[in-house]
Amino acid sequence: MTNLNIGIILGSTREGRLSPQVGNWVKELADKRKDANYTVIDIADYKLPLLGESGTDASGAAEWSEAIAKQDGFVFITQEYNHSITGSLKNALDYLRAEWNNKAAGIVSYGSVGGARAAEHLRGILGELSVADVRVHPALSLFTDFENGAELKAAPVQADSVNQMLDQVIPWSTALKTIR
């Protein structure tokens, strides 16, 4: 069987965001496993204006659709803004439907309380998109896993948590691939 494709979705487009650091750290850990093809997918690279907004350039939508459709599963990097996920992540999720269906996902969150509230909101959205999210959830604290709230310095336990999450994402993605 060929390796699965797992997309690591960066959930923010804001200037000064930390999601690229977190996404690259997750990819570095994941690549050591050699159990899937891991790709960082940055929603900032796609032209996705607010869904349904008239007169806007949504030229990135087809490319976004293609990038998501070829994935077998996901790891969402989500940060907590105002007790929820970012508007850009919600918008990117809403742009597609079938491309998300019957795939598995893990969530890596960060924020002042580890991004826990954002992760819980994301779980509800993923359920509506027929994405099966796994239980293990690495939650990075801005106070203990980032130096000066800006540079990722994750505690060793966090790497263990990422691997435990991927230990669930891979078999779930494998199983769900059989029904797509």
Side-chain angles (χ1 to χ4, degrees):
M1 182 175 182
T2 60
N3 272 353
L4 297 169
N5 294 315
I6 305 295
I8 301 169
I9 309 290
L10 303 185
S12 177
T13 59
R14 289 186 180 186
E15 192 173 320
R17 64 200 172 128
L18 300 175
S19 59
Q21 286 182 62
V22 178
N24 289 331
W25 172 71
V26 168
K27 183 176 183 342
E28 187 178 297
L29 293 170
D31 283 344
K32 291 177 185 173
R33 299 167 56 93
K34 301 186 185 325
D35 57 358
N37 302 315
Y38 296 93
T39 304
V40 173
I41 301 173
D42 189 348
I43 59 178
D45 292 340
Y46 300 87
K47 195 165 209 65
L48 299 173
L50 287 176
L51 182 63
E53 194 172 33
S54 63
T56 57
D57 177 9
S59 58
E63 189 180 359
W64 175 244
S65 171
E66 183 180 318
I68 298 307
K70 67 176 144 181
Q71 305 306 314
D72 298 303
F74 306 97
V75 173
F76 286 91
I77 308 300
T78 189
Q79 45 290 356
E80 187 170 312
Y81 293 152
N82 299 320
H83 290 214
S84 192
I85 65 173
T86 64
S88 56
L89 177 56
K90 178 65 166 89
N91 189 57
L93 288 162
D94 288 347
Y95 254 89
L96 307 176
R97 186 65 174 181
E99 295 88 342
W100 299 114
N101 293 171
N102 299 314
K103 296 179 182 179
I107 299 169
V108 177
S109 65
Y110 63 91
S112 59
V113 291
R117 296 167 294 213
E120 287 309 306
H121 283 181
L122 182 55
R123 288 181 193 284
I125 297 163
L126 293 177
E128 185 59 28
L129 294 171
S130 296
V131 176
D133 61 281
V134 302
R135 182 186 159 281
V136 177
H137 161 217
L140 303 169
S141 168
L142 285 175
F143 303 113
T144 59
D145 292 305
F146 290 86
E147 190 172 281
N148 299 320
E151 185 179 348
L152 179 62
K153 301 280 186 181
V157 69
Q158 298 292 12
D160 293 340
S161 187
V162 168
N163 278 302
Q164 291 168 17
M165 175 200 60
L166 293 173
D167 286 345
Q168 293 179 346
V169 170
I170 295 303
W172 283 36
S173 295
T174 300
L176 288 168
K177 190 172 183 173
T178 65
I179 63 171
R180 284 197 311 278

